[in-house]
Amino acid sequence: MNTPAPAPVLSLSPIVLPAPGRAVELQLRISAPVTGSNLPILLLSHGHGRSNHLSSLNGYAPLANYFAAHGFVVIQPTHLDSKTLSLGPDAPDGPLFSRSRAEDMTRILDQLDVIERAFVGLAGRMDRSRVAVIGHSMGGHTASLLLGARYKDPHDGTEVNRYEPRIKAGVLLAAPGRGGDALTRFAAENYPFFSTTDFSRMTTPALVVAGDKDASAHLTVAGPAWHADPYFLSPGPKSLVTLFDAEHGLGGVSGYDVAETTDENPERVATVQRLTFAFLRTALHPGDPAWQEAQDALTRATPPLGRVESK
């Protein structure tokens, strides 16, 4: 795959968006190439995580830096479940703030003018017709909601629908799968919204990336296959990449040299970078060969790094 050479990047944080009704104002990091125009927009949703700062606008540098260096405007919010905010688990929508997380992304898209004014040199350079979302772990759940997945509010049974039509494609990294009997007792009791996850209306084109050693035993009894559910239980067009020997960190996507990565592997992270970029490049620019080239490179690798299937 002939990935373009990386460009110099500017990154600015925190940019603060007004957020009436939210527990705190919405803080963002924006990263963008120094030059270029018609830049697609990528919303990056962090995971829940155990660390203090990876689960915030300060995390996920391997993804944010790569995408910005290759032509995306990357927007990273600090969701309400971040430890940096110290909100208690009994706060409304806590402890994972599933509904609020998706609302953060819609709020961002509603205030792109504010973001342009705050980031000197960005005005007029974003292509607002080409918006994508990428999320890891709980961020993958957030991405799935924006792409059309739904669940029932555990308090009143109403359907939570955060579908965002302005988002044209998405990537789910190590995302949660189905509910019901696939959940552990701990997950069902502490995160009851997972119990009713419905991928049947997740219609936006998406790439699901799962590790074949990602058991997530605290959440599911279904084993690593659970993280492929968003692919198998949603309608096409979708693609699934299964990375061999990858655990929940997928080699270390949440940050450089972080202690919580149990399968640290720079080559695996580079594979995730190339595959996700290529998928979104082709999804946002139909006819671009990047995704097919990346698939070919994955299957030719020796030893094989993973497999890909599509529908």
Side-chain angles (χ1 to χ4, degrees):
M1 174 184 167
N2 296 317
T3 304
V9 170
L10 285 175
S11 185
L12 180 64
S13 72
I15 291 176
V16 180
L17 295 186
R22 197 175 185 267
V24 297
E25 291 180 310
L26 179 56
Q27 294 194 355
L28 312 175
R29 175 183 295 275
I30 313 295
S31 302
V34 173
T35 60
S37 59
N38 298 317
L39 304 174
I41 299 166
L42 181 63
L43 307 178
L44 198 170
S45 182
H46 63 72
H48 181 61
R50 303 185 301 275
S51 62
N52 290 315
H53 289 279
L54 292 175
S55 296
S56 77
L57 56 75
N58 293 317
Y60 290 84
L63 296 178
N65 293 347
Y66 186 89
F67 273 94
H70 290 88
F72 280 78
V73 176
V74 181
I75 305 178
Q76 296 175 257
T78 293
H79 296 303
L80 290 179
D81 63 310
S82 174
K83 281 191 174 183
T84 62
L85 301 178
S86 300
L87 296 178
D90 296 329
D93 199 32
L96 297 185
F97 298 91
S98 55
R99 186 195 298 257
S100 170
R101 281 170 147 270
E103 291 171 349
D104 287 345
M105 300 311 204
T106 292
R107 198 183 302 267
I108 289 168
L109 295 179
D110 288 343
Q111 299 191 60
L112 290 177
D113 289 342
V114 176
I115 291 170
E116 282 195 346
R117 289 194 295 269
F119 194 118
V120 177
L122 187 59
R125 298 174 59 208
M126 292 192 290
D127 185 346
R128 302 188 188 194
S129 70
R130 292 188 170 99
V131 180
V133 63
I134 185 171
H136 174 243
S137 192
M138 187 60 195
H141 182 269
T142 300
S144 74
L145 295 180
L146 295 164
L147 301 176
R150 304 182 188 186
Y151 67 90
K152 292 182 179 178
D153 188 299
H155 300 293
D156 60 19
T158 59
E159 183 178 73
V160 176
N161 175 10
R162 302 309 307 171
Y163 170 67
E164 178 48 75
R166 289 172 289 186
I167 295 176
K168 306 305 182 184
V171 175
L172 281 60
L173 303 172
R178 68 189 187 279
D181 61 4
L183 298 182
T184 62
R185 182 176 178 180
F186 170 84
E189 292 179 351
N190 291 275
Y191 312 132
F193 65 91
F194 279 151
S195 297
T196 55
T197 300
D198 176 11
F199 296 109
S200 66
R201 285 173 285 183
M202 193 176 80
T203 56
T204 306
L207 170 64
V208 177
V209 181
D212 70 357
K213 297 293 191 297
D214 182 5
S216 297
H218 63 301
L219 295 177
T220 183
V221 297
W226 188 61
H227 295 287
D229 284 347
Y231 171 77
F232 289 108
L233 300 180
S234 67
K238 298 288 185 298
S239 292
L240 170 67
V241 168
T242 303
L243 296 175
F244 300 152
D245 295 321
E247 299 178 14
H248 197 61
L250 302 178
V253 297
S254 64
Y256 299 116
D257 297 326
V258 300
E260 70 180 41
T261 299
T262 58
D263 65 333
E264 187 171 31
N265 186 318
E267 183 181 16
R268 185 172 298 135
V269 173
T271 298
V272 173
Q273 291 170 329
R274 291 191 297 267
L275 286 167
T276 55
F277 168 80
F279 177 84
L280 292 180
R281 175 72 192 177
T282 297
L284 297 177
H285 300 83
D288 191 292
W291 175 229
Q292 186 58 58
E293 292 172 358
Q295 294 179 77
D296 294 343
L298 180 71
T299 57
R300 288 197 305 266
T302 305
L305 303 173
R307 64 177 181 270
V308 60
E309 54 193 287
S310 299
K311 63 181 181 180

